[in-house]
Amino acid sequence: MSEGQKFQLGTIGALSLSVVSSVSIVICNKALISTLGFTFATTLTSWHLLVTFCSLHVALWMKMFEHKPFDPRAVMGFGILNGISIGLLNLSLGFNSVGFYQMTKLAIIPCTVLLETLFFRKKFSRKIQFSLSILLLGVGIATVTDLQLNMLGSVLSLLAVITTCVAQIMTNTIQKKFKVSSTQLLYQSCPYQAITLFVTGPFLDGLLTNQNVFAFKYTSQVVFFIVLSCLISVSVNFSTFLVIGKTSPVTYQVLGHLKTCLVLAFGYVLLRDPFNWRNILGIMVAVIGMVVYSYFCSIETQQKASETSTQLPQMKESENDPLIAVENGSGVLSDGGGGVQKTVAPVWNSNKDFQA
């Protein structure tokens, strides 16, 4: 099996794990919050991250992956930013209508595209933009019901979108820049995310629910669903980093909207949630957008692979050119007038370029 086939299988596995685990935890949390009345979402998320870190620590002790320390400031900033983005999304839901919150989630894709275009010079073809538009239209039809605006809620939503986009872009760039796996990055950033939410969670939940998480009556049923939710969250957190590392932040958001459609469908089938023609039409349009996006992505990936394969022979020919000599990263040029040689600084540094 070639490296390309292994990478494709790994990507498909990561996407499948992300979908299954995310839909499972949404159904579990819905039962915990709606049925059992445990409405402390931010505090629950901090417990998720704490259990994830403990699980990864056990995996490290069993030598299932290698610990690879890197820039501690980057890890701390990334972990805290992730924690803040989760808190802001919860606040956005608390201070806005459900419809406006869904619009906030929809805004993450165009915002990510904009940031990657401006700061990373990444180009998105018109076909990709068209397929994303179809997807967003479908999810909007299926999920957005009302758009009640207020100043505080709008500011919180804007901050939530920006921090979420930056955090997800950082997830991808950090893994590539420092050459760390999704597991290694998650293991090092988890404590900062957990501490951020563990400190702020009870305050935010109290602000949103007017209840104290420590005064809640924890029955055996509530404890069971909390433990189950925490165990599923290990898979959710791991697959999130894995998907973004193997694909891109935009693809992860597309996958997130697929999860939304699946949650709507499972909610109707399993929990008998209300379902109408708008939900059905929106899900159908969104699925069409996802299929078109996947098709165009695969076509562009194949085109890039063929371009790379055609450029390799040309690079080898240029390396064998006797007029060019490269040694230890510096070029040596002859002035043509005798034995005098001039050492020229390299135009690029190979190590730096491959690490970027």
Side-chain angles (χ1 to χ4, degrees):
M1 185 180 293
S2 65
E3 289 296 325
Q5 289 175 326
K6 289 181 180 178
F7 180 79
Q8 288 179 347
L9 285 176
T11 303
I12 292 171
L15 295 172
S16 303
L17 178 64
S18 180
V19 170
V20 172
S21 57
S22 296
V23 173
S24 300
I25 201 169
V26 166
I27 294 174
C28 177
N29 288 347
K30 190 166 187 178
L32 184 61
I33 293 172
S34 302
T35 307
L36 301 176
F38 187 84
T39 56
F40 311 103
T42 309
T43 303
L44 180 62
T45 305
S46 71
W47 296 346
H48 287 170
L49 291 164
L50 186 61
V51 171
T52 299
F53 175 73
C54 293
S55 303
L56 289 175
H57 195 69
V58 172
L60 179 64
W61 177 72
M62 296 174 65
K63 297 183 179 179
M64 297 177 67
F65 71 96
E66 181 184 354
H67 180 47
K68 185 179 179 181
F70 60 97
D71 189 353
R73 289 182 298 178
V75 176
M76 188 190 311
F78 170 72
I80 293 174
L81 181 64
N82 256 308
I84 291 172
S85 70
I86 294 170
L88 285 171
L89 281 171
N90 288 338
L91 282 173
S92 174
L93 177 59
F95 284 92
N96 289 302
S97 63
V98 175
F100 191 81
Y101 174 72
Q102 290 297 338
M103 285 295 296
T104 299
K105 292 175 67 177
L106 290 178
I108 292 175
I109 283 185
C111 183
T112 303
V113 170
L114 178 63
L115 290 175
E116 289 198 306
T117 302
L118 291 177
F119 296 103
F120 293 92
R121 297 292 186 267
K122 188 172 181 179
K123 294 182 180 179
F124 295 86
S125 66
R126 291 188 180 276
K127 293 178 180 179
I128 294 293
Q129 294 175 17
F130 174 69
S131 61
L132 290 175
S133 301
I134 296 175
L135 166 68
L136 295 175
L137 175 64
V139 178
I141 294 172
T143 60
V144 177
T145 53
D146 59 322
L147 290 175
Q148 300 174 10
L149 301 177
N150 66 80
M151 183 55 119
L152 179 59
S154 300
V155 172
L156 289 172
S157 294
L158 177 62
L159 292 174
V161 169
I162 293 173
T163 53
T164 301
C165 292
V166 174
Q168 290 179 0
I169 291 172
M170 285 180 68
T171 303
N172 183 272
T173 54
I174 285 177
Q175 289 186 52
K176 292 179 178 177
K177 181 178 180 181
F178 295 102
K179 292 181 172 58
V180 293
S181 67
S182 54
T183 311
Q184 291 167 333
L185 178 59
L186 180 60
Y187 175 70
Q188 295 188 64
S189 62
C190 241
Y192 298 106
Q193 296 182 58
I195 290 171
T196 301
L197 292 176
F198 194 78
V199 172
T200 61
F203 170 74
L204 294 179
D205 289 334
L207 183 67
L208 295 173
T209 64
N210 292 322
Q211 296 180 21
N212 187 346
V213 64
F214 301 109
F216 188 80
K217 185 178 180 181
Y218 291 89
T219 63
S220 58
Q221 196 173 14
V222 170
V223 172
F224 170 78
F225 274 96
I226 289 175
V227 172
L228 180 61
S229 178
C230 288
L231 292 176
I232 299 173
S233 72
V234 177
S235 177
V236 173
N237 290 323
F238 173 72
S239 62
T240 296
F241 280 61
L242 193 62
V243 168
I244 296 177
K246 283 185 173 292
T247 57
S248 70
V250 173
T251 299
Y252 175 73
Q253 284 300 321
V254 171
L255 188 68
H257 292 306
L258 170 62
K259 299 172 195 174
T260 301
C261 295
L262 289 175
V263 167
L264 286 173
F266 277 111
Y268 173 72
V269 174
L270 299 178
L271 305 176
R272 297 300 174 189
D273 288 344
F275 212 64
N276 55 41
W277 67 268
R278 288 181 71 252
N279 301 129
I280 298 173
L281 175 63
I283 289 174
M284 290 175 62
V285 173
V287 168
I288 291 172
M290 291 172 203
V291 171
V292 175
Y293 174 80
S294 302
Y295 174 74
F296 287 144
C297 279
S298 63
I299 293 296
E300 291 187 3
T301 301
Q302 291 174 3
Q303 289 176 348
K304 289 178 181 178
S306 61
E307 289 174 1
T308 303
S309 62
T310 55
Q311 288 175 357
L312 282 175
Q314 297 176 358
M315 291 175 64
K316 289 181 179 179
E317 289 178 6
S318 64
E319 287 173 359
N320 294 329
D321 194 330
L323 295 178
I324 300 176
V326 178
E327 184 177 357
N328 295 328
S330 62
V332 182
L333 303 180
S334 173
D335 65 352
V340 180
Q341 293 181 331
K342 298 177 181 178
T343 303
V344 183
V347 177
W348 51 269
N349 181 292
S350 58
N351 291 332
K352 182 178 178 182
D353 278 13
F354 284 118
Q355 288 173 1

